[in-house]
Amino acid sequence: MGFSRNKAFGAFLLLLRLALGAVFVYAAWVKLREPWLLFAMSIDNYQILPQWGVELVARTLPWAELALGLLLIVGRWRRVSTVAATALLGVFFSMMVHAWLRGQKIDCGCFGPGEAISPLTLLRDGSLLGGAVLLTVESFWRKSGGRLRGGKSRESLVERSSHLVSGD
């Protein structure tokens, strides 16, 4: 029974990595098909970066998102790509939460112009961040032979978490 749970968990992680990669590719595509100045306006609305920083981010971030999405989809350099995705989503999410708490009525800039920051966009981006964190943790477990600090294996954690969910 433990083998099938681990196999299902592995399939879930694969689908999660592919979905996260697709989200990054889509976000890049939307930004690259529009003039970079539209994305720059969304970035500038956060009022965090100087003008030269806004321009730099608006011109380079979509290309970085595209490369990151492709790395996630292909499955190469998993540690690097999952850490980068987690860091990028962490920055995005914290900026969005900060703007929302300040009462700013601005576009999030996630998928181009026109999407205001709302509880729904925060839920979506928070979920993406949670998935990226899970993928990052898994990539380090896989590289370390499935062992955590203290000698516990990933398999025992999967079994424990499934018992918690099922109530056994």
Side-chain angles (χ1 to χ4, degrees):
M1 189 73 154
F3 176 74
S4 63
R5 284 183 181 162
N6 288 332
K7 193 171 186 179
F9 186 65
F12 168 74
L13 291 173
L14 173 64
L15 290 174
L16 180 61
R17 183 174 49 83
L18 293 174
L20 190 61
V23 166
F24 273 105
V25 168
Y26 176 72
W29 176 76
V30 168
K31 292 170 193 152
L32 290 169
R33 70 186 179 110
E34 300 286 341
W36 69 270
L37 282 171
L38 288 176
F39 182 46
M41 289 181 348
S42 293
I43 296 167
D44 193 42
N45 285 336
Y46 284 96
Q47 302 170 354
I48 294 174
L49 296 174
Q51 198 58 42
W52 65 267
V54 169
E55 185 175 332
L56 179 67
V57 171
R59 288 180 183 262
T60 59
L61 182 62
W63 293 105
E65 287 176 329
L66 180 62
L68 181 56
L70 292 174
L71 282 174
L72 287 166
I73 290 169
V74 172
R76 290 301 211 175
W77 299 329
R78 273 193 222 168
R79 279 186 170 182
V80 172
S81 62
T82 58
V83 167
T86 299
L88 202 53
L89 287 168
V91 169
F92 294 161
F93 186 68
S94 63
M95 287 173 42
M96 288 172 63
V97 168
H98 182 71
W100 189 68
L101 290 175
R102 289 177 40 192
Q104 291 179 296
K105 306 283 187 216
I106 61 174
D107 288 347
C108 74
C110 305
F111 299 102
E115 185 179 17
I117 296 174
S118 68
L120 188 58
T121 57
L122 293 174
L123 177 64
R124 180 198 61 211
D125 283 38
S127 298
L128 290 171
L129 176 58
V133 168
L134 179 63
L135 289 171
T136 300
V137 169
E138 186 275 335
S139 72
F140 281 86
W141 276 342
R142 188 177 50 80
K143 290 283 187 178
S144 65
R147 296 277 171 207
L148 298 172
R149 190 178 272 179
K152 295 191 174 25
S153 69
R154 177 174 60 180
E155 289 77 16
S156 66
L157 286 179
V158 171
E159 289 173 7
R160 264 193 241 152
S161 63
S162 63
H163 288 297
L164 289 173
V165 171
S166 66
D168 294 342

